[in-house]
Amino acid sequence: MNQFDLTGKVALVTGGAHSIGLALGVGLAKAGATVCFNSSSQASCERGVKAYAEAGVQARGYVADVTDEAAVQAMIAQIEADVGTVDILVNNAGVIKRIPMTDMSVEDFSKVIDVDLIAPFICSKAVIPGMIKKGHGKIINICSMMSELGRETVSAYAAAKGGLKMLTKNICSEYGGANIQCNGIGPGYIATQQTAPLREPQSDGSRHPFDQFIISKTPAGRWGTTEDLVGPTVFLASDASNFVNGHILYVDGGILAYIGKQP
Ligand code: GCO
């Protein structure tokens, strides 16, 4: 039997209308899953459904603010009514605000914590009862290099992603006995809209300093693509990872292992 086959499984990808979430949703659908995603607006959901169709797969979009527990509970109930219990949850929705910490308002810091850490708690709490009833479940938290490392201007994001790493380990600890595996994917530096400002070419056409920096720190010598994250996510969503729990799988081209190319 193909251990990577997700046929018959229902997957929910939060923030799955674009970028990394869309790539993961398409990959899970191509592995056989029935894919649902949420977005914050009807318009974004419609754009998302169209993007999935252009990729050759069907997906169902749900409007829900993942920081609002009542909205998330209602979304999970609607998904269960529409297609069944959520077997696979990918906590992908995330925001970043790059502001020097001493310039950052508490409101901005809290917003990042709400979306990047509290929302995964809310969504996991909403799907775990159904997973327990069903006798299995997969929760995949999209962590970050910043689950392990800090850098200037990303204090809130690093605090949230560090917390998400430990929430991953705690869900593993608390619900592993119910055959729920909770793991993380730690993307390296991926070429997305979110990192576009870090790759903006200079006025003279040369690489952005941060772009050059990441290339020098990555053994693979390139930025990752959203496609690089799909296989690892299908693995963690499938029976092939039934004895993998509480692990953050870094998909980073080797950054975390490498001191960096000598200048
Ligand atoms: C940044 C980047 C990173 C990446 C990603 C790395 O400002 O350093 O946005 O945070 O987005 O999280 O794993």
Side-chain angles (χ1 to χ4, degrees), residues 20 96-98 142-147 150-154 157-158 161 185-190 192 194-196 198 210 214 223 250-252 255:
I20 288 175
I96 191 168
K97 290 181 185 289
R98 299 185 184 96
I142 304 304
C143 294
S144 164
M145 301 307 301
M146 275 59 229
S147 297
R151 81 175 187 85
E152 299 80 1
T153 76
V154 296
Y157 187 83
K161 292 298 188 179
I185 290 279
Y189 279 87
I190 309 293
T192 62
Q194 189 248 46
T195 57
L198 306 173
F210 195 86
I214 291 303
W223 286 67
Y250 286 97
V251 186
D252 66 356
I255 290 184

Side-chain angles (χ1 to χ4, degrees), residues 178-201:
N179 192 27
I180 292 172
Q181 291 84 49
C182 182
N183 293 285
I185 290 279
Y189 279 87
I190 309 293
T192 62
Q193 272 307 100
Q194 189 248 46
T195 57
L198 306 173
R199 291 176 284 109
E200 201 64 45

Side-chain angles (χ1 to χ4, degrees), residues 234-247:
V234 170
F235 164 64
L236 290 179
S238 74
D239 289 341
S241 60
N242 283 351
F243 204 54
V244 177
N245 214 345
H247 182 77

Side-chain angles (χ1 to χ4, degrees), residues 13-232:
V13 182
T14 66
H18 61 94
S19 194
I20 288 175
L22 171 64
L24 300 184
V26 169
L28 292 170
K30 288 190 171 174
T34 297
V35 171
C36 305
F37 68 93
N38 88 288
S39 194
S40 52
S41 72
Q42 186 57 35
S44 174
C45 272
E46 285 165 10
R47 283 195 299 272
V49 168
K50 192 162 168 288
Y52 280 90
E54 284 162 3
V57 299
Q58 265 200 330
R60 305 173 77 99
Y62 294 80
V63 179
D65 172 356
V66 286
T67 66
D68 174 345
E69 184 167 35
V72 168
Q73 295 275 356
M75 171 175 66
I76 298 303
Q78 189 60 54
I79 290 172
E80 283 180 4
D82 291 346
V83 291
T85 305
V86 173
D87 301 289
I88 302 159
L89 168 65
V90 181
N91 282 310
N92 164 76
V95 294
I96 191 168
K97 290 181 185 289
R98 299 185 184 96
I99 306 169
M101 198 183 92
T102 50
D103 299 340
M104 191 171 209
S105 67
V106 172
E107 187 192 355
D108 274 343
F109 190 95
S110 302
K111 174 75 182 162
V112 174
I113 298 292
D114 279 348
V115 178
D116 295 6
L117 180 56
I118 294 177
F121 157 73
I122 289 172
C123 294
S124 302
K125 179 183 166 190
V127 300
I128 283 171
M131 291 176 171
I132 291 172
K133 267 196 219 114
K134 219 169 169 183
H136 66 252
K138 299 281 188 179
I139 297 174
I140 300 163
N141 293 321
I142 304 304
C143 294
S144 164
M145 301 307 301
M146 275 59 229
S147 297
E148 300 295 340
L149 303 170
R151 81 175 187 85
E152 299 80 1
T153 76
V154 296
S155 60
Y157 187 83
K161 292 298 188 179
L164 186 56
K165 174 176 78 172
M166 288 315 301
L167 179 64
T168 301
K169 292 174 186 278
N170 211 77
I171 292 171
C172 153
S173 307
E174 201 162 357
Y175 297 102
N179 192 27
I180 292 172
Q181 291 84 49
C182 182
N183 293 285
I185 290 279
Y189 279 87
I190 309 293
T192 62
Q193 272 307 100
Q194 189 248 46
T195 57
L198 306 173
R199 291 176 284 109
E200 201 64 45
Q202 302 295 282
S203 52
D204 64 2
S206 63
R207 280 178 182 272
H208 186 294
F210 195 86
D211 180 0
Q212 289 171 332
F213 170 64
I214 291 303
I215 297 295
S216 75
K217 292 283 283 180
T218 308
R222 67 174 174 88
W223 286 67
T225 67
T226 56
E227 281 314 302
D228 288 320
L229 301 171
V230 172

